[in-house]
Amino acid sequence: MGHKKKTSLKATLQSQQTRLKNKEKAAHAAEAAELKTKYKGKGKAPALRPTIPFTLTDKILLIGEGNFSFAHALVISFAHALVIESPSSLEHLPPSNITATSYDSEEECYDKYPDARSKVDVLRERGAEVLFGVDGTRFEKCNGLKGRRFDRVVFNFPHAGKGITDQDRNILSNQMLILGFLRSVVGCLAEGIIPTPNLSRKLKRPVDDDDDDNVNDDEDIVDASSPSTVQGARGTVLITLRNVPPYTNWDVPRLAKTPPKPASLGTPPNPNYKLLRSFVFHREMWKGYEHCMTKGERAHGRGTTGEGGEDRTWEFCLKD
């Protein structure tokens, strides 16, 4: 019985992959046609202010930090790293509001990422919390996180790191990682009302449109310039990935909004999330930030998969 359900989950995810690939082909054709007429006679479109998804009062949990360069940038040099000055500068963000975690043990982390030790030292000196051995799909196993709630839970560039060469199996492996994270993180999210992002331009459709054919239309979702914070708002999850294949084939928005049924009877169902917004993630805004491979610097190179395109963050909260 359990084996049959597991096969069903795999078939469901693979069916989603097929639909997404067909959709991407149609989208590329439509984009090519649109470029011929877009902004004709109007010059370039106005630049959007980079999105800063944090405020000074946020309790922030960072997952899978690798060499801790993002946490370091957030704690040390945010005010100096902005390409465009933000009205809600995080120059005085209390480091004690930040909990940065690594999947690896402390020894394994320093072996994989030699520059991580100095960054961790700075984080601890400034008052940020650093936790090792944190599995992002099993938060309930981490004593340091039990009973705690956060306003923002950030998973930048998640990857299962299993080295699977078959693309379909690799996609499935990473989809299982995302589903496990979205299921486990529920107990870490602050409770409250659904936040409303301040949008920088008019939507072509509702942000949380449940039409399956439009789940991944990033251009229609919106770039937002201000944090989606409301006093007493529930916590949000932010997942950042390259917005190009094979990462788009993971179909993160769909997994969050309409997750497949569990693979086995012993696995609880995934919750349904509401997509609040998506926005471009500007690496250059975070001084010293480096995107590192899951296998570390000693795995012979940083890889070229996903070159081109942009980095994009999707922000979700739990549905009612």
Side-chain angles (χ1 to χ4, degrees):
M1 180 68 72
H3 178 73
K4 184 177 180 180
K5 284 183 174 294
K6 185 175 183 179
T7 302
S8 177
L9 173 62
K10 180 178 179 180
T12 299
L13 292 175
Q14 290 179 333
S15 175
Q16 289 180 356
Q17 292 175 27
T18 300
R19 288 199 301 270
L20 187 59
K21 288 176 183 177
N22 292 335
K23 180 183 171 184
E24 283 181 343
K25 291 180 182 178
H28 288 320
E31 181 180 5
E34 183 180 3
L35 286 175
K36 295 180 180 180
T37 56
K38 192 173 184 180
Y39 307 126
K40 185 177 181 180
K42 297 181 181 179
K44 294 183 178 180
L48 297 173
R49 181 183 296 276
T51 300
I52 313 301
F54 311 114
T55 67
L56 298 179
T57 60
D58 283 345
K59 298 290 185 182
I60 303 169
L61 175 62
L62 306 177
I63 305 302
E65 265 297 276
N67 69 347
F68 289 91
S69 61
F70 184 76
H72 184 271
L74 187 57
V75 167
I76 297 300
S77 55
F78 188 94
H80 305 291
L82 290 178
V83 175
I84 300 177
E85 193 66 29
S86 171
S88 55
S89 171
L90 300 185
E91 181 179 2
H92 303 294
L93 175 71
S96 58
N97 281 18
I98 299 172
T99 298
T101 72
S102 169
Y103 175 80
D104 301 307
S105 68
E106 189 162 2
E107 181 179 353
E108 290 170 338
C109 178
Y110 298 156
D111 184 58
K112 289 168 65 174
Y113 312 104
D115 60 337
R117 186 186 299 272
S118 61
K119 292 179 173 61
V120 169
D121 288 343
V122 172
L123 291 172
R124 286 171 168 165
E125 289 172 3
R126 295 297 181 100
E129 182 180 23
V130 179
L131 299 175
F132 291 92
V134 177
D135 186 339
T137 65
R138 292 180 172 85
F139 289 111
E140 67 278 3
K141 301 293 184 181
C142 179
N143 291 329
L145 295 177
K146 286 184 177 179
R148 299 173 60 185
R149 301 277 181 166
F150 296 86
D151 301 297
R152 304 283 174 266
V153 180
V154 181
F155 204 166
N156 287 330
F157 304 100
H159 198 283
K162 294 185 177 181
I164 300 174
T165 56
D166 180 78
Q167 188 177 86
D168 288 340
R169 289 178 58 222
N170 187 52
I171 291 171
L172 179 62
S173 173
N174 284 289
Q175 287 180 318
M176 296 303 293
L177 169 66
I178 297 298
L179 287 170
F181 166 68
L182 292 172
R183 181 171 59 248
S184 183
V185 76
V186 171
C188 295
L189 295 173
E191 299 176 330
I193 62 175
I194 293 178
T196 303
N198 296 318
L199 307 180
S200 60
R201 58 186 172 87
K202 185 177 180 180
L203 291 172
K204 298 178 186 176
R205 64 175 174 83
V207 172
D208 198 45
D209 191 335
D210 287 325
D211 182 353
D212 285 347
D213 292 334
N214 292 325
V215 169
N216 205 33
D217 283 345
D218 301 321
E219 287 304 314
D220 286 352
I221 290 173
V222 77
D223 279 274
S225 61
S226 302
S228 58
T229 54
V230 177
Q231 188 173 6
R234 64 188 61 175
T236 66
V237 171
L238 298 103
I239 299 176
T240 300
L241 285 171
R242 294 293 291 164
N243 198 31
V244 294
Y247 306 106
T248 48
N249 294 331
W250 300 6
D251 210 355
V252 169
R254 186 186 298 274
L255 292 180
K257 294 177 60 176
T258 56
K261 293 181 180 180
S264 63
L265 293 176
T267 303
N270 262 64
N272 294 95
Y273 284 84
K274 175 183 176 69
L275 176 58
L276 295 173
R277 59 179 176 174
S278 79
F279 52 88
V280 176
F281 176 88
H282 296 276
R283 300 188 192 194
E284 66 274 14
M285 286 170 48
W286 309 92
K287 188 175 182 180
Y289 172 67
E290 299 173 325
H291 172 50
C292 296
M293 293 181 66
T294 305
K295 292 184 178 180
E297 288 188 9
R298 300 189 180 184
H300 309 296
R302 293 179 178 269
T304 58
T305 302
E307 284 188 341
E310 65 182 14
D311 299 326
R312 180 160 287 268
T313 299
W314 287 268
E315 185 171 16
F316 308 93
C317 74
L318 287 168
K319 274 191 172 182
D320 288 328

